[in-house]
Amino acid sequence: MSAPVLKGFIVGLALTIIAGQLPKLFGVEGGPGNFFERIGALFADLSDTSGLTVLVGAGSLAVILVLKRVAPVVPGSLLAVALGIAVAAAFDLEDHGVDVVGGIASGLPSFGFPDVSLDDLGALAAGSVGVLLVAFVEGLGAAKTYAARDHYEVDADRELIGLGAAGLGAGLSSGMVVNGSLSKTAVNASAGARTQLSGLVVAALTLVTLLFLTGLFEKLPEAVLAAVVIAAVIDLVDISSLVSFYRVFTRRLGEAYGVAARPDFVAALAAMLGVMVFDTLPGLFIGVGASLLLLLYRSSRPLISELGRLPGNGHFASLDRHPDSRGIPGLVVLRVEAGIYFANAERIESAVRRAAAREGATAVVIDAETVPFVDVSAVRMLDGLTEELDSRGVRLLLARDVGQVRDVLRTAGAGAELRHVYPTVRAAVDAARTGT
């Protein structure tokens, strides 16, 4: 996955999480579905809003956000939870219509193999692959997000091993599917966690809570819990990054690629909307698919610049980027800014033909320095084009081929004309002028 796809995925997931928590903040029923369905259900239920629930939730959210800004060393989420439990117990908020967490089963889970027969494994396989993909991508996305923020590296292989070990442990202890949750990672990071020690502390406190403190958390208002989650993930709604992707644009890119001139923005937006509309796994595939389609589309429409000679030093530069460069009478020098392969060979062939058809043109030089690779289709296209132009009295010459291009030209049946590739554009131009 590209970074923009991952960013769009994270933003869409964060918005979906927030949409799922807002009904608890307003004390309404809400509804299932995607982001937009949840928001629609919230607006439909606003007439049933519990004022006291809003007060508790908004107050908790304000405490967390204010402390994060004015006193970041204070664990705002922990303080909000403690205050919420204390206020709920002191004023019997549950009796006044404020929903609380309610009964929590105490004690440790039982250990043993799940009661699954071999006949069930086939039916579970397809769903488990989807769960695996969503779990791994969400966990890796959260890890990479915070790794980029705090400047450290993430090993995807070790993340997968850790996820697998946690999944085995959960399966053997009657647990739910395990993954690196984005919302819980955000809560952990907002509480000041910096190392794996936080996970060990959480594990120890979870055991203590299951054994002795479940009754205490049964009084926690759900609005407070929603405020903690919203405050944690709201920073992940990184709209500024999406805007920065949109700004990566120039006029030349727009003329060459149209809407695909902003591939990073389009891919990020596709991933974000895919998650918000179709859920996490389809959203992931939509983002990756859009990224690949844009890559194929752009590579099939390579930028082809015409070069001219700069006065004084004799170097060659793009005519449209350097107004002082001058074309060479009778010659056309083209630079292809992409690999040449089956998807774009025909477009490049058409561009060379148009250049060769100019009045007075006797040669076309292709500057291949920015061509990182060619395939057999491209070589055959160049061979055929060379023969065709020769029959019209126009030479086709190559300059500055890189290693991979040179290797393929020599081994994929290139014609004798193309084996005389020139080391520089100037050398190719001189050869075209002298007919050597």
Side-chain angles (χ1 to χ4, degrees), residues 5-152:
V5 169
L6 187 59
K7 177 61 70 175
F9 178 81
I10 293 295
V11 172
L13 196 55
L15 288 171
T16 302
I17 290 171
I18 292 173
Q21 297 298 320
L22 286 176
K24 299 177 183 178
L25 203 66
F26 285 87
V28 297
E29 185 68 22
N34 61 41
F35 171 84
F36 298 100
E37 290 171 340
R38 293 181 181 184
I39 293 298
L42 174 65
F43 279 105
D45 293 341
L46 281 181
S47 58
D48 300 326
T49 298
S50 167
L52 188 56
T53 301
V54 174
L55 180 62
V56 172
S60 301
L61 187 59
V63 167
I64 298 170
L65 295 179
V66 170
L67 287 177
K68 184 185 293 187
R69 179 174 292 273
V70 302
V73 296
V74 178
S77 297
L78 182 61
L79 182 60
V81 169
L83 288 175
I85 292 173
V87 171
F91 297 99
D92 294 324
L93 294 184
E94 187 176 7
D95 294 337
H96 292 82
V98 177
D99 293 333
V100 297
V101 171
I104 302 175
S106 60
L108 298 178
S110 59
F111 290 88
F113 287 96
D115 185 15
V116 178
S117 67
L118 292 176
D119 295 336
D120 296 326
L121 293 181
L124 294 173
S128 63
V129 171
V131 171
L132 168 65
L133 286 173
V134 172
F136 181 55
V137 170
E138 182 179 355
L140 187 61
K144 285 189 173 183
T145 297
Y146 285 94
R149 179 176 299 181
D150 296 329
H151 309 293
Y152 61 87

Side-chain angles (χ1 to χ4, degrees), residues 294-384:
L294 287 167
L295 177 63
L296 180 61
Y297 179 79
R298 285 169 63 91
S299 67
S300 70
R301 300 167 63 89
L303 285 174
I304 303 174
S305 302
E306 183 174 350
L307 307 185
R309 194 192 299 270
L310 291 171
N313 57 24
H315 293 166
F316 288 83
S318 174
L319 291 175
D320 60 349
R321 286 182 178 271
H322 299 272
D324 52 340
S325 60
R326 295 290 180 266
I328 303 171
L331 299 178
V332 181
V333 182
L334 300 178
R335 181 176 64 204
V336 180
E337 300 180 12
I340 307 177
Y341 70 118
F342 67 92
N344 62 21
E346 186 174 330
R347 181 174 290 271
I348 294 170
E349 183 179 19
S350 298
V352 174
R353 278 203 183 102
R354 288 195 299 271
R358 294 183 187 178
E359 184 176 355
T362 60
V364 177
V365 176
I366 297 179
D367 180 4
E369 184 183 29
T370 53
V371 177
F373 66 90
V374 295
D375 68 358
V376 173
S377 299
V379 173
R380 291 176 178 173
M381 178 273 290
L382 292 172
D383 285 348

Side-chain angles (χ1 to χ4, degrees), residues 243-265:
V243 173
S244 69
F245 296 151
Y246 182 82
R247 289 175 176 169
V248 180
F249 178 82
T250 64
R251 177 186 57 81
R252 293 179 77 245
L253 289 174
E255 292 174 353
Y257 302 123
V259 68
R262 294 184 172 93
D264 294 327
F265 173 74

Side-chain angles (χ1 to χ4, degrees), residues 90-286:
F91 297 99
D92 294 324
L93 294 184
E94 187 176 7
D95 294 337
H96 292 82
V98 177
D99 293 333
V100 297
V101 171
I104 302 175
S106 60
L108 298 178
S110 59
F111 290 88
F113 287 96
D115 185 15
V116 178
S117 67
L118 292 176
D119 295 336
D120 296 326
L121 293 181
L124 294 173
S128 63
V129 171
V131 171
L132 168 65
L133 286 173
V134 172
F136 181 55
V137 170
E138 182 179 355
L140 187 61
K144 285 189 173 183
T145 297
Y146 285 94
R149 179 176 299 181
D150 296 329
H151 309 293
Y152 61 87
E153 294 184 2
V154 172
D155 187 333
D157 291 337
R158 295 188 66 180
E159 291 289 322
L160 186 57
I161 292 172
L163 185 64
L168 286 174
L172 295 174
S173 58
S174 305
M176 299 291 289
V177 175
V178 176
N179 75 314
S181 168
L182 178 63
S183 59
K184 295 173 182 62
T185 301
V187 171
N188 199 32
S190 66
R194 291 295 179 269
T195 70
Q196 288 87 345
L197 182 61
S198 65
L200 297 176
V201 172
V202 169
L205 291 178
T206 300
L207 289 175
V208 172
T209 301
L210 287 173
L211 292 173
F212 308 110
L213 302 178
T214 55
L216 182 63
F217 284 93
E218 290 175 356
K219 294 291 185 181
L220 176 64
E222 289 195 353
V224 175
L225 199 57
V228 170
V229 174
I230 291 173
V233 303
I234 197 169
D235 288 339
L236 300 178
V237 185
D238 191 0
I239 302 300
S240 62
S241 289
L242 300 181
V243 173
S244 69
F245 296 151
Y246 182 82
R247 289 175 176 169
V248 180
F249 178 82
T250 64
R251 177 186 57 81
R252 293 179 77 245
L253 289 174
E255 292 174 353
Y257 302 123
V259 68
R262 294 184 172 93
D264 294 327
F265 173 74
V266 174
L269 190 65
M272 183 186 75
L273 293 177
V275 171
M276 295 170 67
V277 175
F278 300 107
D279 210 351
T280 51
L281 184 59
L284 170 65
F285 287 140
I286 289 172

